[in-house]
Amino acid sequence: MTDANNDADDREAYADRIRSADPAEGPARGWDIHCHTTFSDGTRTPAQLVEEARARGLHGVAITDHDTWNGWEEAAAAARRVGIPLLRGTEVTAHCGRTSVHMLGYLYDPDDRELAAMFARTRRARVERAREMVRRINAEFPQITWDAVCAQAGEGKETTVGRPHIADALVAAGICTGRDEAFATVLSARGPFYIPTPSPDAAEVVRVVKGAGGATVVAHAGDPSRNSTLLTDAELEKLIAAGLDGIEVHHRGNPVSQRRDLMREAIWGGVIRERLGLPGPVLVTGGSDWHGAGKPNVLGENLTGDDTVALLAARCALPIVEP
Ligand code: AMP
Ligand code: FE
Ligand code: FE
Ligand code: ZN
C-alpha cells in the first residue's frame, strides 16, 4: 500500500501525463487489453490470440470475451507456453438508462458468488433473446434455425452467443455476404427481428466486479456508431464515484473529439476519486477490440501503456499470468 502523499504525487503525475498526451495517439508500445476469442464472438481460439500477440511483439495481452471467463484457462496455458504476460478479463454487457454500455472487468475472482450469478443471468438472457430473434428470422428465412446458429459457436455451449453467430449462420446460408451486411440488414437494431439483451446496470457491474476483487474500465464510451445515445458526463462521473477504474479512450470507435472529452473526464475523475478517498487515478486505456476474422480490427492497433497495466493490476485480487 502506498501512503497518502505518495498516492497524491502518483495521481498528479498520471494526470500530468494525460494532459500532455495527444488524444489522437495512444501509446506506441504496450498491451492490447480488449480482445475476443471463440468463447464469444471472436473467430480465433485463446491460444491463437496469445500466439498472435506474441508474434506482434505486444508487451502483454488480455482476453475479454463477452460475459464469460470460460477462455481464461486455455489463454493462461498458452501465455505460459509462448512467453507473454496475460491479463484475464471479461467484457460485461450492461446499460445506463437507455444507453447500452460495455464494461471491461479485469482480474476478479471468478468464484465470487454475486459475480458468477450476474454473468449467469446475462448468459441465460442472451440465449433466450437469441432464440427469440432466430424464431422471428426463421419465419422469413427458413434456413436460419437455432441449430444452424449453434453450429457457428466455436466452443459449443461454452461460447457466449450473440448476433455475430446469427450473422455467421446468415452468411453460411448465403443470405448475407458477411457479418457487416448482416448487421446492417437482418440484425439491425432498427430492424423487425431485433431484441435487446436484458443486462445489469453499469454502476451495478462496477460494484459487483469490485466486490469480486476486480477492476472495471468502461469500453468504447465515445463510439457513436453503436448507440443512438452515449453516456453523458454526469453518468460517467456517477460510475467513477461508484469506483470505476478506467476509461477506454484509445479505441477505433471513439472519434478524436470524443477521445479528447474522455481524457478530460479521466482527469476530472481523478479529482472525484481523491475526494472520495479512492486510491490512484482514473486510468486511460486502449484496446483493439480484436475479433479475429469477425471484424477488421487489427490486434494491437490500440494499446495500453505498461505503467497503466501495472496500476490496474495493483488494484486487483488476481495476478497477471506471467510466463
Ligand atoms: P449482441 O451483443 O449479441 O447484440 O451483438 C453485438 C456484438 O456484435 C458486439 O460485440 C460486436 O462486437 C459485434 N458486432 C457489431 N456490429 C458488427 C459488425 N458490423 N460486424 C461484426 N461484428 C459486429
Ligand atoms: Fe463482440
Ligand atoms: Fe463492446
Ligand atoms: Zn469488445
Side-chain angles (χ1 to χ4, degrees):
M1 283 284 109
T2 55
D3 65 39
N5 280 339
N6 275 343
D7 185 47
D9 290 349
D10 292 349
R11 200 193 308 259
E12 209 33 57
Y14 197 82
D16 278 347
R17 252 180 307 150
I18 301 175
R19 257 181 230 112
S20 57
D22 176 357
E25 294 274 344
R29 288 172 210 291
W31 293 54
D32 188 343
I33 66 169
H34 185 167
C35 306
H36 297 269
T37 76
T38 44
F39 283 87
S40 64
D41 53 354
T43 62
R44 303 280 183 263
T45 63
Q48 288 170 324
L49 161 64
V50 164
E51 282 158 13
E52 186 162 338
R54 178 80 174 86
R56 284 181 180 273
L58 302 185
H59 294 178
V61 69
I63 178 170
T64 55
D65 279 308
H66 296 283
D67 303 305
T68 188
W69 61 80
N70 284 341
W72 284 11
E73 218 180 287
E74 181 184 327
R80 290 191 192 97
R81 177 165 47 78
V82 309
I84 183 172
L86 173 81
L87 203 52
R88 290 166 286 180
T90 298
E91 186 170 15
V92 188
T93 307
H95 72 274
C96 189
R98 299 166 73 84
T99 306
S100 151
V101 180
H102 283 178
M103 307 290 298
L104 295 160
Y106 296 102
L107 301 176
Y108 56 81
D109 172 10
D111 292 328
D112 180 87
R113 287 179 60 171
E114 201 178 1
L115 179 137
M118 181 175 80
F119 284 11
R121 270 195 303 279
T122 302
R123 288 167 60 81
R124 213 177 306 121
R126 275 182 165 282
V127 171
E128 283 167 18
R129 169 263 196 165
R131 288 190 87 120
E132 180 55 23
M133 280 188 69
V134 168
R135 204 186 58 74
R136 293 181 186 185
I137 295 167
N138 180 265
E140 191 156 325
F141 304 102
Q143 310 98 297
I144 305 305
T145 60
W146 183 240
D147 282 351
V149 170
C150 291
Q152 301 300 329
E155 309 290 337
K157 283 192 174 3
E158 298 269 289
T159 295
T160 302
V161 290
R163 281 185 289 164
H165 305 101
I166 308 177
D168 292 346
L170 286 159
V171 174
I175 297 163
C176 295
T177 54
R179 282 188 180 183
D180 246 352
E181 190 195 319
F183 271 88
T185 57
V186 182
L187 299 174
S188 164
R190 284 175 293 277
F193 308 117
Y194 181 74
I195 301 168
T197 300
S199 62
D201 184 83
E204 172 77 357
V205 174
V206 170
R207 188 185 66 74
V208 171
V209 173
K210 200 174 161 69
T216 48
V217 171
V218 60
H220 45 63
D223 183 352
S225 73
R226 58 176 304 279
N227 250 324
S228 52
T229 56
L230 293 176
L231 276 179
T232 64
D233 290 352
E235 286 169 331
L236 197 49
E237 286 157 24
K238 255 186 66 186
L239 294 181
I240 291 167
L244 180 77
D245 292 281
I247 301 174
E248 186 185 53
V249 172
H250 303 293
H251 183 284
R252 68 157 62 200
N254 296 338
V256 173
S257 64
Q258 289 287 342
R259 295 185 199 199
R260 193 169 289 117
D261 290 351
L262 292 172
M263 293 270 228
R264 213 176 286 132
E265 281 300 314
I267 294 168
W268 174 236
V271 177
I272 297 173
R273 283 181 70 89
E274 185 172 6
R275 285 181 187 166
L276 294 172
L278 294 164
V282 172
L283 305 170
V284 168
T285 76
S288 66
D289 211 350
W290 187 69
H291 282 68
K295 274 189 174 184
N297 308 29
V298 177
L299 190 65
E301 68 177 24
N302 279 295
L303 297 171
T304 302
D306 297 353
D307 52 337
T308 298
V309 173
L311 288 168
L312 183 76
R315 295 180 192 178
C316 297
L318 253 60
I320 287 172
V321 175
E322 300 286 353

